[in-house]
Amino acid sequence: MICLAAGALLIPLGAAEITLAWRHSVEKTLWEELWQESPDGLVLAEARVQGSGAGMDPPEGARLEGGFWRWRPKLPGLREVVMRRSGATADWRVCVANSCRAMAELVPAEADPVVLKPCP
């Protein structure tokens, strides 16, 4: 199971697969990442972006499906994913089983950073 950690809070998300979503601060396009728990840690199974520009061009091999450029990043499993919340952009969205919530519904709005990691 995957958890969010913010300071002393540990919030189980109730799933071994979640999607993080946010809007790019300049281009205002949607970016999504599908994270899965594995024996190697958290694995980025797919990245999706609705457009390109301002440092967010899809890599070679990305395919356009349903209005999103989609690809599978070649990254090793990670122990944790650290997310910063500047307040200059809309908050992260956390999606579990096609149900999305703003991160502020899960952890305090002032919590920064918030860490995505396998639950202990």
Side-chain angles (χ1 to χ4, degrees):
M1 185 177 341
I2 298 174
C3 283
L4 287 178
L9 291 176
L10 188 65
I11 313 296
L13 297 175
E17 177 178 285
I18 65 108
T19 297
L20 291 177
W22 67 93
R23 293 227 172 251
H24 190 277
S25 61
V26 175
E27 299 293 336
K28 307 297 185 216
T29 55
L30 186 60
W31 188 293
E32 298 178 342
E33 293 179 344
L34 175 64
W35 289 92
Q36 298 172 334
E37 183 181 22
S38 80
D40 296 326
L42 296 175
V43 174
L44 181 53
E46 183 180 64
R48 307 182 281 267
V49 65
Q50 281 185 317
S52 62
M56 49 185 264
D57 293 320
E60 187 173 325
R63 63 197 187 289
L64 184 60
E65 290 180 12
F68 282 85
W69 287 100
R70 299 169 180 264
W71 69 96
R72 183 178 178 102
K74 293 179 173 67
L75 297 173
L78 302 175
R79 195 172 49 99
E80 61 184 25
V81 176
V82 178
M83 297 167 283
R84 300 305 310 250
R85 300 166 81 198
S86 71
T89 61
D91 206 1
W92 298 84
R93 294 194 54 77
V94 179
C95 307
V96 177
N98 295 320
S99 176
C100 298
R101 299 168 71 185
M103 189 170 296
E105 294 178 33
L106 300 165
V107 299
E110 66 279 1
D112 179 58
V114 176
V115 178
L116 184 71
K117 62 184 187 176
C119 295

